[in-house]
């Protein structure tokens, strides 16, 4: 929300300085994002007039201009094509600093002729609202020698506020002035306007078809024989200073009402609109050409204002170009309706149109002040443009203002501030609330207060949050955290202990990149992305971790162990969001000088997976086959616990690594923390009084036998006290024959009694016999 200091003072009688006003706005919860005061950098620029312009004798594209600055005649060399005799211009005298580039204007010799200043263009002064080719052309009737900044209001500070969605009233300058008056920075001015002179016994020629489900209030006025023209200087300056291009008096007045009172209106060319107005929903694929000269295809969810032939207004958002007002318009129809704000918000999002009107309608437009604002707009049009006014159309009904039962002792109970009741009453009344004798508070129609706590917030906000004292937080020894948080914390610590580094990446990614990891889900496309590279909600963290791998490899870091805990998305519903832990391992197993280096393999990351699961009391049951396009088909699988899939593990597919330009193999696992939090019966920690016994076995089996199946088979041997089973080597080669492979397995046996050598040998033989029988294996000697 942008406004100038003079605009604010049209509604607030105050002697407060700009700094005092900005501090008060921040204290009121209306964050001041920026203050732009150009009075100093533009103070030396003058309005002048060219009284003579002749070609430069030494340069075809230059002119020697005689310029009257109101005190003397200067000689200035100018290269602008539009420089000519009797043109009113902006002069930069010698010593002036040009805002665009910081250039200091000096006396100069240009091709042998002295130049005593510079004639300025809009770009050089960094101002809008003027011709953008050549030097600025000003109206001929302007006084010469006066300050350009003062004449055009450019010395008027511009304040930019960040308005929260619940402060719809402060999307109008008058609402901001009301808050400042309640704060004690001045007095809110009453808005008065001249009574409209209507045609005697006039009845509007307009015929209205209104569906109150779409619009619960419609106000309109037919006005004929106006003189639409450029706006008065004060109005044009006010709008252009906040970035609104002045168009014509009628259009500028509607913009002024929108920004002054948060009351959007629209003016139609009546001759192009016609007499029949229909408020309806659009037809499927009905075409609408808007004021921005773009054509939109509408549907039945869009509310429109139409005539007999076409759509003339996308309700609450933007008017149509075919019924727009121009300088030649003599007859207008001024409209101020209330439309369903939810429909406006959806239509705006669907068609990707953001307008000042839309921003106000989708939050809240005060229907009870609609008629007063409309009459003010009509009186301004009549005063500036003249015209003959038909009686107003005014149809629809509005809800009564809300009432809240309020006990003023609640202020201290909720805030801890002992604010006198008289002061609380004063604050509420200055904000527009009405207090009855029975301690009922009538909420002003421009606010959305619903409960007593809302009134406490209003009082404390104006009284000042700086009065709230500092008190230490109460320490609670026993804190309860969600199961997800506890699991994530333990797994994170376990991974760090294994040498992993935690990373945090965007929850967004590029849709083109997401397509490599599965089908694109339209529900996950971001309508207004931060950038084109972040236009899709991620369905997996792996793509972002691969980006991290590339970055590290490009910086000559080849050994990478990283993980991230964060959200992934399968749809646009709350239930479609999951929290996962993703870990990635690539490079060499060890790069220490005294250790022989080797490349990591799937068993390294599998060992890390088993370790971290043990920290939360889960012993991995199995890894089952899976089919996923971005993992290696023979080196990947689902992680199974209690017959439930809790994640997956595997080697990233070589084709994908090639597309990413990643060097070497990359191994990855992902755990679904939502699933882990649902596991009620986790493996318990059992203290053992005696040390474990480890035995190694090497079995020769057929090449198609899965190593994981052998591990699962040994683990499930209920007759033996087996604590852990791990694979430490797989070998294929001439020494064991073709179509065979050797699988080396370490088995850990743990009991609460001392085992004899004979007992250990019997257990080992039991394991050997079981594997030989089940898999037709032979024990490798």
């Amino acid at each position: 929300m942008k406004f100038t200091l003079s605009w604010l003072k049209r509604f607030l009688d105050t002697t407060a300085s700009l700094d005092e006003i900005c501090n008060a706005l921040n204290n009121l919860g209306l964050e001041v994002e920026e203050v732009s005061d150009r009075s100093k950098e533009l103070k030396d620029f003058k309005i002048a007039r060219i009284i003579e312009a002749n070609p430069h004798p030494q340069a075809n594209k230059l002119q020697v201009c005689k310029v009257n600055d109101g005190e003397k005649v200067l000689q200035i060399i100018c290269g602008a094509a539009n420089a000519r005799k009797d043109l009113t211009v902006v002069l930069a005298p010698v010593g002036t600093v040009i805002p665009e580039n910081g250039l200091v204007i000096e006396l100069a010799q240009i091709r042998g002729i002295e130049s005593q200043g510079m004639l300025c263009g809009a770009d050089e002064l960094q101002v809008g609202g003027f011709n953008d080719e050549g030097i600025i052309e000003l109206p001929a009737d302007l006084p010469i020698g006066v300050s350009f900044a003062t004449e055009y209001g450019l010395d008027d500070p511009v304040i930019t506020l960040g308005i929260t969605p619940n402060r719809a009233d402060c999307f109008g300058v008058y609402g901001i002035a009301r808050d400042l008056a309640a704060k004690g920075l001045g007095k809110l001015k009453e808005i008065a306007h001249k009574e409209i002179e209507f045609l005697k016994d006039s009845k509007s020629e307009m015929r209205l078809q209104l569906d109150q489900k779409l619009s619960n209030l419609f106000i309109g006025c037919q006005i004929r024989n106006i003189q639409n023209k450029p706006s008065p200087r004060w109005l044009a300056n006010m709008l252009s200073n906040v970035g609104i291009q002045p168009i014509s008096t009628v259009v500028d007045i509607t913009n002024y009402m929108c920004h002054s009172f948060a009351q959007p209106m629209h003016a139609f060319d009546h001759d192009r609109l016609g007499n029949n107005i229909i408020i309806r929903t659009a037809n499927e694929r009905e075409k609408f050409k808007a004021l921005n000269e773009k054509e939109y295809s509408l549907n039945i969810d869009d509310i429109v204002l139409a005539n007999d032939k076409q759509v003339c207004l996308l309700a609450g958002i933007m008017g149509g170009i075919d019924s727009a007002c121009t300088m030649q318009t003599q007859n207008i129809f001024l409209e101020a309706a209330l439309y369903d704000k939810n429909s406006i918000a959806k239509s705006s999002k669907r068609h990707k149109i953001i307008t000042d009107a839309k921003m106000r309608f989708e939050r809240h437009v005060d229907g009870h002040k609609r008629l007063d604002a409309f009459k003010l707009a009509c009186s301004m049009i009549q005063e500036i443009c003249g015209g003959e006014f038909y009686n107003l159309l005014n149809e629809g009904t509005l809800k009564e203002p809300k009432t809240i039962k309020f006990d003023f002792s609640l202020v201290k109970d909720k805030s801890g501030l002992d604010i006198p009741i008289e002061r609380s009453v004063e604050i509420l009344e200055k904000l527009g609330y009405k207090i009855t004798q029975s301690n009922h508070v009538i909420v002003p129609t421009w606010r959305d207060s619903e409960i007593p706590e809302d009134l406490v917030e209003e009082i404390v906000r104006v009284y000042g949050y700086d009065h709230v004292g500092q008190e230490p937080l109460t320490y609670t020894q026993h804190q309860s955290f969600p199961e997800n948080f506890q699991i994530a914390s333990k797994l994170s610590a376990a991974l760090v202990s294994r040498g992993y580094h935690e990373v945090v990446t965007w929850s967004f990614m590029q849709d083109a990149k997401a397509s490599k990891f599965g089908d694109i889900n339209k529900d996950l496309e971001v309508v207004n992305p931060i950038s084109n590279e972040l236009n899709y909600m991620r369905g997996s963290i792996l793509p972002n971790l691969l980006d991290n791998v590339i970055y590290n490899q490009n910086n000559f870091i080849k050994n990478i162990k990283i993980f991230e805990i964060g959200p992934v998305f399968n749809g646009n519903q709350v239930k479609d969001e999951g929290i996962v832990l993703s870990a990635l391992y690539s490079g060499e197993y060890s790069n220490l000088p005294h250790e022989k280096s080797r490349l990591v393999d799937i068993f390294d990351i599998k060992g890390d997976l088993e370790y971290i699961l043990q920290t939360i009391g889960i012993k991995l049951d199995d890894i089952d086959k899976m089919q996923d396009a971005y993992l290696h088909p023979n080196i990947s699988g689902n992680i199974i616990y209690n017959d439930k899939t809790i994640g997956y593990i595997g080697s990233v597919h070589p084709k994908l690594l090639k597309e990413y330009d990643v060097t070497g193999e990359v191994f990855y696992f992902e755990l679904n923390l939502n699933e882990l939090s649902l596991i009620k019966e986790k493996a318990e920690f059992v203290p053992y009084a005696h040390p474990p016994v480890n035995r190694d076995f090497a079995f020769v089996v057929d090449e198609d036998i899965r190593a994981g199946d052998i591990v699962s088979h040994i683990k499930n041997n209920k007759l033996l006290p087996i604590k852990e089973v791990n694979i430490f080597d797989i070998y294929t080669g001439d020494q064991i024959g073709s179509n065979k492979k050797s699988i080396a397995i370490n088995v850990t046996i743990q009991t609460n009694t001392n085992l004899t050598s004979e007992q250990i040998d019997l257990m080992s033989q039991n394991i050997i016999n079981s594997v030989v029988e089940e898999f037709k294996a032979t024990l490798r000697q």
Side-chain angles (χ1 to χ4, degrees), residues 67-91:
V67 179
N68 184 355
D69 71 351
E71 296 178 357
K72 55 186 177 297
V73 176
L74 303 173
Q75 179 174 277
I76 296 176
I77 310 301
C78 181
N82 61 333
R84 59 188 183 274
K85 182 181 178 182
D86 297 331
L87 179 64
T88 305
V89 294
V90 180
L91 168 68

Side-chain angles (χ1 to χ4, degrees), residues 237-481:
N237 290 351
M238 194 174 290
L239 295 176
S240 60
N241 282 345
V242 298
I244 303 171
Q245 178 69 43
I247 296 173
S248 68
T249 296
V250 169
V251 176
D252 293 349
I253 286 174
T254 63
N255 283 328
Y256 172 78
M257 299 306 297
C258 181
H259 285 75
S260 291
F261 305 103
Q263 292 284 347
M265 301 176 189
H266 189 73
F268 300 89
D269 185 316
H270 177 256
D271 296 335
R272 302 164 75 184
L273 174 67
N275 289 331
N276 290 334
I277 298 176
I278 309 165
I279 307 298
R280 60 174 174 82
T281 57
N283 300 319
E284 196 66 35
R285 297 184 181 178
E286 187 171 11
K287 300 300 182 183
F288 168 64
K289 192 169 185 180
L291 285 170
N292 59 7
E293 297 186 352
K294 293 182 180 179
E295 187 174 78
Y296 297 92
S297 180
L298 308 180
N299 65 29
I300 58 174
D301 294 323
D302 296 314
I303 301 174
V304 299
L305 183 152
N307 58 18
D308 295 331
K309 298 179 181 178
Q310 62 189 358
V311 173
C312 300
L313 174 76
L314 183 55
I317 300 176
M318 186 178 287
I321 198 167
D322 293 329
S323 57
C325 288
T326 66
M327 285 293 190
Q328 289 72 43
T329 297
Q330 295 181 328
N331 304 311
I332 67 170
F333 180 74
L334 186 65
E335 167 266 346
L338 286 182
Y339 303 102
D340 178 66
K341 66 179 184 180
N342 292 325
S343 176
I344 291 173
K346 291 176 182 177
S347 292
S348 171
K349 183 177 181 180
R350 182 166 52 253
H351 298 299
K352 301 178 182 179
I353 307 175
I354 298 176
T355 62
D356 291 327
K358 164 260 179 186
M359 293 178 65
R360 289 156 178 80
F361 270 118
E362 71 179 4
R363 287 160 176 81
H364 175 68
V365 172
D366 182 10
H368 290 265
K369 291 295 180 182
R370 202 86 168 118
L371 183 59
D372 292 339
F374 189 82
K375 288 180 178 179
L376 175 59
C378 287
S379 69
M380 291 178 68
I381 292 173
Q382 192 168 60
E383 183 178 352
I384 300 172
C385 302
E388 300 168 342
F389 287 66
Y390 287 81
N391 285 333
L392 300 182
L393 283 172
N394 188 0
E395 295 189 21
T397 55
L398 296 170
K399 295 179 180 179
E400 290 298 316
K402 291 172 287 191
T403 300
I404 300 173
K405 185 173 176 59
F406 186 64
D407 183 350
F408 281 88
S409 65
L410 191 65
V411 176
K412 185 173 183 180
D413 293 342
K414 294 294 183 181
S415 69
L417 295 177
D418 193 7
I419 305 173
I421 292 179
E422 296 78 12
R423 176 63 176 136
S424 296
V425 170
E426 179 190 15
I427 289 172
L428 289 177
E429 288 181 340
K430 283 189 174 182
L431 290 174
Y433 294 85
K434 295 180 181 178
I435 293 89
T436 67
Q437 292 182 348
S438 59
N439 274 1
H440 280 77
V441 178
I442 302 174
V443 179
T445 51
W446 53 82
R447 292 294 279 127
D448 58 356
S449 301
E450 298 280 353
I451 57 176
E453 284 76 7
D454 290 335
L455 303 182
V456 174
E457 181 189 356
E458 291 280 62
I459 294 167
V460 175
R461 180 176 64 85
V462 175
Y463 186 72
Y465 290 118
D466 53 326
H467 289 95
V468 177
Q470 296 183 2
E471 292 194 18
L473 292 172
T474 303
Y475 175 70
T476 304
Q477 187 172 4
H478 301 288
Q479 298 186 25
S480 176
F481 295 102

Side-chain angles (χ1 to χ4, degrees), residues 718-778:
K718 305 300 182 183
L719 300 176
L720 301 178
I722 293 172
K723 181 183 178 184
E724 196 169 341
V725 180
N726 290 306
I727 299 171
F728 65 86
D729 184 50
I730 294 179
Y731 170 76
T732 57
D734 296 337
Q735 295 182 20
I736 58 172
S738 60
N739 300 323
K740 297 286 184 178
K741 65 182 175 183
S742 171
I743 301 175
I745 297 175
N746 174 267
V747 179
T748 303
I749 300 170
Q750 179 87 62
T751 67
N752 276 326
T753 60
N754 286 325
L755 295 173
T756 66
S757 298
E758 291 77 8
Q759 288 174 315
I760 296 172
D761 290 341
L762 283 173
M763 291 181 184
S764 299
Q765 192 60 48
N766 187 306
I767 293 170
I768 294 169
N769 294 340
S770 174
V771 174
V772 168
E773 181 180 349
E774 180 69 21
F775 298 99
K776 295 181 175 55
T778 58

Side-chain angles (χ1 to χ4, degrees), residues 68-324:
N68 184 355
D69 71 351
E71 296 178 357
K72 55 186 177 297
V73 176
L74 303 173
Q75 179 174 277
I76 296 176
I77 310 301
C78 181
N82 61 333
R84 59 188 183 274
K85 182 181 178 182
D86 297 331
L87 179 64
T88 305
V89 294
V90 180
L91 168 68
V94 171
T96 305
V97 179
I98 302 300
E100 181 187 35
N101 51 25
L103 175 69
V104 179
I105 301 302
E106 300 176 345
L107 280 174
Q109 292 284 330
I110 301 177
R111 296 290 182 93
I113 298 179
E114 185 177 66
S115 182
Q116 301 169 315
M118 174 179 171
L119 304 182
C120 301
D123 289 343
E124 291 155 339
L125 300 185
Q126 295 185 321
V127 295
F130 299 96
N131 55 294
D132 54 6
E133 293 186 7
I135 56 177
I136 293 174
E137 299 186 16
L138 300 178
D141 58 353
L142 289 182
I144 294 175
V146 301
S147 166
F148 167 68
T150 301
E151 188 68 22
Y152 275 86
L154 295 169
D155 56 351
D156 191 5
V158 177
I159 303 170
T160 303
L161 297 185
I163 306 294
T164 53
N166 66 319
R167 295 308 310 272
D169 57 314
C170 288
F171 273 87
V173 183
Y174 193 78
I176 297 168
R178 184 191 296 113
D179 260 29
L180 288 170
K183 186 71 173 174
L185 261 71
K187 183 179 180 182
L188 187 67
K189 296 180 181 179
E190 293 292 330
I191 303 300
H193 61 82
K194 293 181 180 179
E195 288 297 321
I196 308 167
E197 296 180 11
F198 293 101
L199 290 170
K200 289 185 178 180
D201 302 323
S202 67
K203 185 177 180 181
S204 178
E205 299 172 350
M206 308 301 291
R207 292 180 293 277
L208 173 66
Q209 296 180 37
L210 178 65
D211 183 346
Q212 290 203 21
K213 293 180 181 178
L214 307 178
S215 171
N216 62 333
L217 179 68
F218 189 95
I219 303 172
C221 184
Q222 180 185 350
I223 310 170
R224 70 183 187 191
N225 296 327
I226 65 165
Q227 293 181 342
N228 201 13
K229 53 189 175 184
S231 292
R233 181 65 46 75
W234 69 268
L235 178 56
N237 290 351
M238 194 174 290
L239 295 176
S240 60
N241 282 345
V242 298
I244 303 171
Q245 178 69 43
I247 296 173
S248 68
T249 296
V250 169
V251 176
D252 293 349
I253 286 174
T254 63
N255 283 328
Y256 172 78
M257 299 306 297
C258 181
H259 285 75
S260 291
F261 305 103
Q263 292 284 347
M265 301 176 189
H266 189 73
F268 300 89
D269 185 316
H270 177 256
D271 296 335
R272 302 164 75 184
L273 174 67
N275 289 331
N276 290 334
I277 298 176
I278 309 165
I279 307 298
R280 60 174 174 82
T281 57
N283 300 319
E284 196 66 35
R285 297 184 181 178
E286 187 171 11
K287 300 300 182 183
F288 168 64
K289 192 169 185 180
L291 285 170
N292 59 7
E293 297 186 352
K294 293 182 180 179
E295 187 174 78
Y296 297 92
S297 180
L298 308 180
N299 65 29
I300 58 174
D301 294 323
D302 296 314
I303 301 174
V304 299
L305 183 152
N307 58 18
D308 295 331
K309 298 179 181 178
Q310 62 189 358
V311 173
C312 300
L313 174 76
L314 183 55
I317 300 176
M318 186 178 287
I321 198 167
D322 293 329
S323 57

Side-chain angles (χ1 to χ4, degrees), residues 546-564:
L546 288 176
D547 286 336
N548 191 294
V549 172
I550 298 169
Y551 178 82
N552 279 281
Q553 289 186 348
N554 289 341
N555 285 275
F556 306 103
I557 300 171
K558 60 181 180 179
N559 299 330
I560 303 161
K561 298 178 79 172
I562 55 176
F563 75 96
E564 179 175 359

Side-chain angles (χ1 to χ4, degrees), residues 509 513-514 517 538-548 550 630 660 668:
M509 61 190 300
K513 188 177 294 182
F517 296 83
R538 68 184 180 190
S540 170
I541 298 179
L542 177 57
N544 292 351
L545 296 187
L546 288 176
D547 286 336
N548 191 294
I550 298 169
Y630 56 87
Y660 266 82
Y668 175 80

